Amino acid sequence: MMTETLRILVAEKQALIALEIEVLLTELTGSSVTVCSRKDMQRELESAPFDVVLVDAVSLPDNNRATWSMLNIMGLGVVFLTSFDEVPGFTAGQQGFAMLSKPFDEASLLAAVKAAVAKRHAAGQRG
């Protein structure tokens, strides 16, 4: 169980994956979870405050970099959900976000969210 209640946005194109994440994070952490498609992510970010965003990585490197940059500027913890070995557009050494490989298990999901929260707090202390 995490010590803080988080406001989490899940921007995932696959409805069953998004639903599984929502159920697990709600039950295991008591977090407030909102689900949307990736194309509706910006609207959701403008309508409510969030702490962490889990977003589906796409095959276009520039799109992933732009998404990460926007979320990082907003001070949000970021988890890229991916079926790739790495998030396209980033190398393994870049640690500004957490990565969750699909398919995932409960422990991996919780670890990725915790890592995103830790990276968010570390970035806030530097800035």
Side-chain angles (χ1 to χ4, degrees):
M1 190 71 119
M2 294 182 195
T3 56
E4 64 180 300
T5 301
L6 299 172
R7 296 162 299 184
I8 299 173
L9 178 63
V10 179
E12 165 62 51
K13 67 182 173 193
Q14 296 178 30
L16 291 177
I17 291 174
L19 179 61
E20 182 178 6
I21 291 170
E22 179 183 25
V23 169
L24 286 172
L25 290 177
T26 300
E27 289 179 356
L28 297 173
T29 69
S31 295
S32 170
V33 181
T34 301
V35 174
C36 69
S37 65
R38 197 174 201 272
K39 68 179 178 62
D40 293 332
M41 179 176 65
Q42 184 66 43
R43 181 177 44 102
E44 290 295 334
L45 290 169
E46 292 169 359
S47 70
F50 293 96
D51 301 303
V52 175
V53 177
L54 285 80
V55 60
D56 192 30
V58 296
S59 59
L60 302 171
D62 289 343
N63 287 15
N64 292 326
R65 285 191 297 266
T67 297
W68 180 82
S69 180
M70 174 192 66
L71 296 172
N72 188 50
I73 288 169
M74 295 175 75
L76 301 172
V78 179
V79 177
F80 273 107
L81 304 165
T82 184
S83 298
F84 308 108
D85 290 335
E86 293 181 348
V87 175
F90 295 93
T91 61
Q94 294 173 307
Q95 301 299 318
F97 57 85
M99 186 175 96
L100 180 62
S101 295
K102 298 187 267 186
F104 59 88
D105 58 33
E106 183 179 296
S108 299
L109 173 61
L110 290 175
V113 171
K114 286 179 183 178
V117 170
K119 290 173 190 304
R120 175 178 170 244
H121 287 307
Q125 292 172 355
R126 285 192 308 260

